[in-house]
Short mmCIF file of all heavy atoms in Angstrom, two decimals:
data_model
loop_
_atom_site.label_atom_id
_atom_site.label_comp_id
_atom_site.label_asym_id
_atom_site.label_seq_id
_atom_site.Cartn_x
_atom_site.Cartn_y
_atom_site.Cartn_z
N ALA Z 1 0.81 -1.23 0.00
CA ALA Z 1 0.00 0.00 0.00
C ALA Z 1 0.84 1.27 0.00
O ALA Z 1 0.45 2.27 0.60
CB ALA Z 1 -0.97 0.00 1.19
N ALA Z 2 1.98 1.24 -0.67
CA ALA Z 2 2.84 2.43 -0.77
C ALA Z 2 3.44 2.49 -2.16
O ALA Z 2 3.61 1.48 -2.84
CB ALA Z 2 3.94 2.40 0.28
N PHE Z 3 3.81 3.71 -2.58
CA PHE Z 3 4.35 3.88 -3.93
C PHE Z 3 5.65 3.12 -4.14
O PHE Z 3 6.04 2.82 -5.26
CB PHE Z 3 4.54 5.37 -4.24
CG PHE Z 3 5.78 5.99 -3.65
CD1 PHE Z 3 6.95 6.10 -4.40
CD2 PHE Z 3 5.79 6.49 -2.36
CE1 PHE Z 3 8.09 6.69 -3.87
CE2 PHE Z 3 6.91 7.09 -1.83
CZ PHE Z 3 8.08 7.18 -2.58
N LYS Z 4 6.33 2.78 -3.05
CA LYS Z 4 7.61 2.06 -3.16
C LYS Z 4 7.45 0.71 -3.86
O LYS Z 4 8.39 0.18 -4.44
CB LYS Z 4 8.22 1.85 -1.78
CG LYS Z 4 8.36 3.11 -0.93
CD LYS Z 4 9.40 4.06 -1.45
CE LYS Z 4 9.50 5.34 -0.62
NZ LYS Z 4 10.17 5.17 0.66
N ASP Z 5 6.23 0.13 -3.79
CA ASP Z 5 6.01 -1.18 -4.43
C ASP Z 5 6.28 -1.14 -5.93
O ASP Z 5 6.71 -2.13 -6.51
CB ASP Z 5 4.56 -1.64 -4.20
CG ASP Z 5 4.29 -2.06 -2.77
OD1 ASP Z 5 5.17 -2.66 -2.14
OD2 ASP Z 5 3.18 -1.76 -2.28
N LEU Z 6 6.00 0.00 -6.55
CA LEU Z 6 6.14 0.08 -8.01
C LEU Z 6 7.58 -0.12 -8.45
O LEU Z 6 7.84 -0.65 -9.53
CB LEU Z 6 5.61 1.42 -8.51
CG LEU Z 6 4.09 1.50 -8.58
CD1 LEU Z 6 3.63 2.95 -8.63
CD2 LEU Z 6 3.58 0.73 -9.79
N ALA Z 7 8.53 0.29 -7.63
CA ALA Z 7 9.94 0.05 -7.96
C ALA Z 7 10.41 -1.28 -7.40
O ALA Z 7 11.13 -2.04 -8.06
CB ALA Z 7 10.80 1.18 -7.42
N MET Z 8 10.02 -1.59 -6.17
CA MET Z 8 10.56 -2.77 -5.49
C MET Z 8 10.15 -4.07 -6.16
O MET Z 8 10.94 -5.03 -6.21
CB MET Z 8 10.10 -2.78 -4.03
CG MET Z 8 10.75 -1.74 -3.17
SD MET Z 8 12.55 -1.93 -3.04
CE MET Z 8 12.89 -0.63 -1.85
N GLN Z 9 8.93 -4.14 -6.67
CA GLN Z 9 8.50 -5.39 -7.31
C GLN Z 9 9.37 -5.71 -8.52
O GLN Z 9 9.74 -6.85 -8.75
CB GLN Z 9 7.02 -5.30 -7.70
CG GLN Z 9 6.08 -5.40 -6.52
CD GLN Z 9 6.16 -6.73 -5.81
OE1 GLN Z 9 6.22 -7.80 -6.44
NE2 GLN Z 9 6.17 -6.70 -4.48
N LEU Z 10 9.71 -4.68 -9.29
CA LEU Z 10 10.59 -4.93 -10.43
C LEU Z 10 12.01 -5.19 -9.97
O LEU Z 10 12.70 -6.06 -10.52
CB LEU Z 10 10.56 -3.74 -11.40
CG LEU Z 10 11.45 -3.89 -12.65
CD1 LEU Z 10 11.07 -5.15 -13.43
CD2 LEU Z 10 11.37 -2.67 -13.53
N LEU Z 11 12.46 -4.48 -8.95
CA LEU Z 11 13.82 -4.68 -8.46
C LEU Z 11 14.02 -6.11 -7.98
O LEU Z 11 15.07 -6.73 -8.23
CB LEU Z 11 14.11 -3.69 -7.32
CG LEU Z 11 15.57 -3.57 -6.86
CD1 LEU Z 11 16.47 -3.12 -8.00
CD2 LEU Z 11 15.67 -2.59 -5.69
N GLY Z 12 13.02 -6.67 -7.28
CA GLY Z 12 13.12 -8.06 -6.85
C GLY Z 12 13.28 -9.02 -8.03
O GLY Z 12 14.10 -9.96 -7.99
N GLN Z 13 12.51 -8.78 -9.08
CA GLN Z 13 12.62 -9.63 -10.27
C GLN Z 13 13.99 -9.49 -10.94
O GLN Z 13 14.59 -10.47 -11.38
CB GLN Z 13 11.51 -9.27 -11.26
CG GLN Z 13 10.11 -9.56 -10.77
CD GLN Z 13 9.85 -11.03 -10.53
OE1 GLN Z 13 10.40 -11.90 -11.22
NE2 GLN Z 13 9.01 -11.34 -9.56
N LEU Z 14 14.48 -8.25 -11.01
CA LEU Z 14 15.80 -8.02 -11.61
C LEU Z 14 16.91 -8.68 -10.80
O LEU Z 14 17.84 -9.28 -11.36
CB LEU Z 14 16.06 -6.53 -11.74
CG LEU Z 14 15.27 -5.79 -12.83
CD1 LEU Z 14 15.34 -4.29 -12.61
CD2 LEU Z 14 15.80 -6.15 -14.22
N PHE Z 15 16.83 -8.57 -9.48
CA PHE Z 15 17.82 -9.21 -8.62
C PHE Z 15 17.85 -10.72 -8.86
O PHE Z 15 18.91 -11.31 -9.07
CB PHE Z 15 17.50 -8.96 -7.14
CG PHE Z 15 17.98 -7.64 -6.62
CD1 PHE Z 15 17.41 -7.09 -5.47
CD2 PHE Z 15 18.99 -6.92 -7.23
CE1 PHE Z 15 17.84 -5.88 -4.96
CE2 PHE Z 15 19.43 -5.71 -6.73
CZ PHE Z 15 18.85 -5.19 -5.59
N GLU Z 16 16.69 -11.34 -8.81
CA GLU Z 16 16.63 -12.80 -8.97
C GLU Z 16 17.18 -13.22 -10.33
O GLU Z 16 17.94 -14.19 -10.44
CB GLU Z 16 15.19 -13.28 -8.80
CG GLU Z 16 15.05 -14.79 -8.83
CD GLU Z 16 13.63 -15.23 -8.53
OE1 GLU Z 16 12.69 -14.61 -9.07
OE2 GLU Z 16 13.47 -16.20 -7.77
N TYR Z 17 16.81 -12.48 -11.36
CA TYR Z 17 17.27 -12.78 -12.71
C TYR Z 17 18.79 -12.68 -12.82
O TYR Z 17 19.46 -13.60 -13.33
CB TYR Z 17 16.61 -11.81 -13.69
CG TYR Z 17 17.10 -11.89 -15.12
CD1 TYR Z 17 16.60 -12.84 -16.00
CD2 TYR Z 17 18.07 -11.00 -15.59
CE1 TYR Z 17 17.04 -12.91 -17.31
CE2 TYR Z 17 18.51 -11.05 -16.90
CZ TYR Z 17 18.00 -12.01 -17.76
OH TYR Z 17 18.45 -12.07 -19.06
N GLU Z 18 19.37 -11.58 -12.34
CA GLU Z 18 20.80 -11.37 -12.50
C GLU Z 18 21.61 -12.30 -11.60
O GLU Z 18 22.67 -12.80 -12.00
CB GLU Z 18 21.16 -9.91 -12.20
CG GLU Z 18 22.59 -9.53 -12.54
CD GLU Z 18 22.94 -9.74 -14.00
OE1 GLU Z 18 22.04 -9.64 -14.86
OE2 GLU Z 18 24.14 -9.99 -14.28
N LEU Z 19 21.14 -12.56 -10.40
CA LEU Z 19 21.85 -13.48 -9.51
C LEU Z 19 21.84 -14.89 -10.07
O LEU Z 19 22.83 -15.63 -9.96
CB LEU Z 19 21.22 -13.46 -8.12
CG LEU Z 19 21.41 -12.15 -7.33
CD1 LEU Z 19 20.52 -12.14 -6.09
CD2 LEU Z 19 22.88 -11.97 -6.95
N GLU Z 20 20.74 -15.28 -10.68
CA GLU Z 20 20.67 -16.60 -11.32
C GLU Z 20 21.65 -16.67 -12.48
O GLU Z 20 22.34 -17.69 -12.66
CB GLU Z 20 19.23 -16.85 -11.81
CG GLU Z 20 19.01 -18.24 -12.41
CD GLU Z 20 19.10 -19.35 -11.39
OE1 GLU Z 20 18.76 -19.12 -10.21
OE2 GLU Z 20 19.53 -20.46 -11.77
N ARG Z 21 21.73 -15.61 -13.27
CA ARG Z 21 22.68 -15.58 -14.40
C ARG Z 21 24.11 -15.74 -13.91
O ARG Z 21 24.93 -16.38 -14.57
CB ARG Z 21 22.56 -14.26 -15.17
CG ARG Z 21 21.37 -14.16 -16.07
CD ARG Z 21 21.60 -13.24 -17.26
NE ARG Z 21 21.90 -11.85 -16.93
CZ ARG Z 21 22.02 -10.89 -17.85
NH1 ARG Z 21 21.87 -11.19 -19.14
NH2 ARG Z 21 22.28 -9.65 -17.49
N ARG Z 22 24.41 -15.17 -12.75
CA ARG Z 22 25.79 -15.16 -12.24
C ARG Z 22 26.07 -16.28 -11.25
O ARG Z 22 27.23 -16.47 -10.86
CB ARG Z 22 26.08 -13.81 -11.57
CG ARG Z 22 25.97 -12.62 -12.51
CD ARG Z 22 26.28 -11.33 -11.82
NE ARG Z 22 26.15 -10.19 -12.74
CZ ARG Z 22 26.94 -9.13 -12.74
NH1 ARG Z 22 27.93 -9.04 -11.87
NH2 ARG Z 22 26.75 -8.15 -13.60
N GLY Z 23 25.03 -16.99 -10.83
CA GLY Z 23 25.23 -18.03 -9.82
C GLY Z 23 25.67 -17.46 -8.49
O GLY Z 23 26.48 -18.06 -7.78
N GLN Z 24 25.14 -16.28 -8.11
CA GLN Z 24 25.56 -15.59 -6.89
C GLN Z 24 24.38 -15.40 -5.94
O GLN Z 24 23.23 -15.62 -6.30
CB GLN Z 24 26.15 -14.22 -7.24
CG GLN Z 24 27.41 -14.27 -8.08
CD GLN Z 24 27.90 -12.89 -8.48
OE1 GLN Z 24 27.29 -11.87 -8.14
NE2 GLN Z 24 29.00 -12.83 -9.19
N GLU Z 25 24.71 -14.99 -4.72
CA GLU Z 25 23.72 -14.58 -3.73
C GLU Z 25 23.98 -13.13 -3.35
O GLU Z 25 25.07 -12.61 -3.57
CB GLU Z 25 23.77 -15.49 -2.50
CG GLU Z 25 23.38 -16.93 -2.81
CD GLU Z 25 23.34 -17.79 -1.56
OE1 GLU Z 25 23.76 -17.31 -0.48
OE2 GLU Z 25 22.90 -18.96 -1.67
N LEU Z 26 22.97 -12.48 -2.76
CA LEU Z 26 23.08 -11.07 -2.41
C LEU Z 26 22.47 -10.83 -1.05
O LEU Z 26 21.40 -11.37 -0.72
CB LEU Z 26 22.35 -10.23 -3.46
CG LEU Z 26 22.53 -8.70 -3.39
CD1 LEU Z 26 23.97 -8.33 -3.74
CD2 LEU Z 26 21.57 -8.01 -4.35
N ASN Z 27 23.15 -10.02 -0.24
CA ASN Z 27 22.63 -9.60 1.05
C ASN Z 27 22.28 -8.12 0.97
O ASN Z 27 23.17 -7.27 0.85
CB ASN Z 27 23.66 -9.84 2.15
CG ASN Z 27 23.92 -11.32 2.36
OD1 ASN Z 27 23.02 -12.06 2.72
ND2 ASN Z 27 25.14 -11.75 2.10
N ILE Z 28 20.99 -7.84 0.98
CA ILE Z 28 20.51 -6.47 0.87
C ILE Z 28 20.67 -5.77 2.22
O ILE Z 28 20.25 -6.29 3.25
CB ILE Z 28 19.04 -6.44 0.46
CG1 ILE Z 28 18.84 -7.09 -0.92
CG2 ILE Z 28 18.50 -5.02 0.47
CD1 ILE Z 28 19.56 -6.39 -2.02
N LEU Z 29 21.27 -4.59 2.21
CA LEU Z 29 21.35 -3.76 3.40
C LEU Z 29 20.63 -2.46 3.09
O LEU Z 29 21.02 -1.72 2.17
CB LEU Z 29 22.80 -3.48 3.78
CG LEU Z 29 23.02 -2.57 5.00
CD1 LEU Z 29 22.38 -3.16 6.24
CD2 LEU Z 29 24.51 -2.32 5.22
N GLY Z 30 19.56 -2.17 3.84
CA GLY Z 30 18.77 -0.98 3.56
C GLY Z 30 18.33 -0.28 4.82
O GLY Z 30 18.49 -0.79 5.94
N ALA Z 31 17.79 0.92 4.64
CA ALA Z 31 17.25 1.71 5.74
C ALA Z 31 15.89 2.24 5.31
O ALA Z 31 15.67 2.52 4.13
CB ALA Z 31 18.18 2.87 6.09
N THR Z 32 14.99 2.39 6.26
CA THR Z 32 13.66 2.86 5.93
C THR Z 32 13.16 3.85 6.96
O THR Z 32 13.43 3.71 8.15
CB THR Z 32 12.66 1.69 5.81
OG1 THR Z 32 11.39 2.19 5.40
CG2 THR Z 32 12.50 0.95 7.13
N SER Z 33 12.43 4.86 6.48
CA SER Z 33 11.75 5.78 7.37
C SER Z 33 10.28 5.42 7.48
O SER Z 33 9.51 6.12 8.14
CB SER Z 33 11.91 7.22 6.87
OG SER Z 33 11.40 7.33 5.55
N GLY Z 34 9.88 4.36 6.80
CA GLY Z 34 8.47 3.96 6.89
C GLY Z 34 8.05 2.93 5.87
O GLY Z 34 7.64 1.82 6.22
N ASP Z 35 8.16 3.23 4.57
CA ASP Z 35 7.56 2.39 3.55
C ASP Z 35 8.55 1.59 2.71
O ASP Z 35 8.22 0.54 2.17
CB ASP Z 35 6.69 3.23 2.63
CG ASP Z 35 5.49 3.83 3.35
OD1 ASP Z 35 4.95 3.15 4.24
OD2 ASP Z 35 5.11 4.97 3.05
#
């Protein structure tokens, strides 16, 4: 229920796609003020 979903949903797909291509894993480090 926040505008952040519009970017994050695609970012998740891009991450999975690129990590699969490279055979790698990723540890996301982020900060949030709310959404």
Side-chain angles (χ1 to χ4, degrees):
F3 80 95
K4 308 290 178 75
D5 288 323
L6 283 161
M8 289 298 185
Q9 286 297 317
L10 181 57
L11 192 60
Q13 295 296 328
L14 287 165
F15 278 159
E16 185 174 44
Y17 173 83
E18 189 59 29
L19 291 169
E20 184 68 31
R21 284 208 299 186
R22 298 181 181 217
Q24 296 176 359
E25 295 184 352
L26 189 68
N27 294 298
I28 298 298
L29 178 60
T32 184
S33 58
D35 295 324

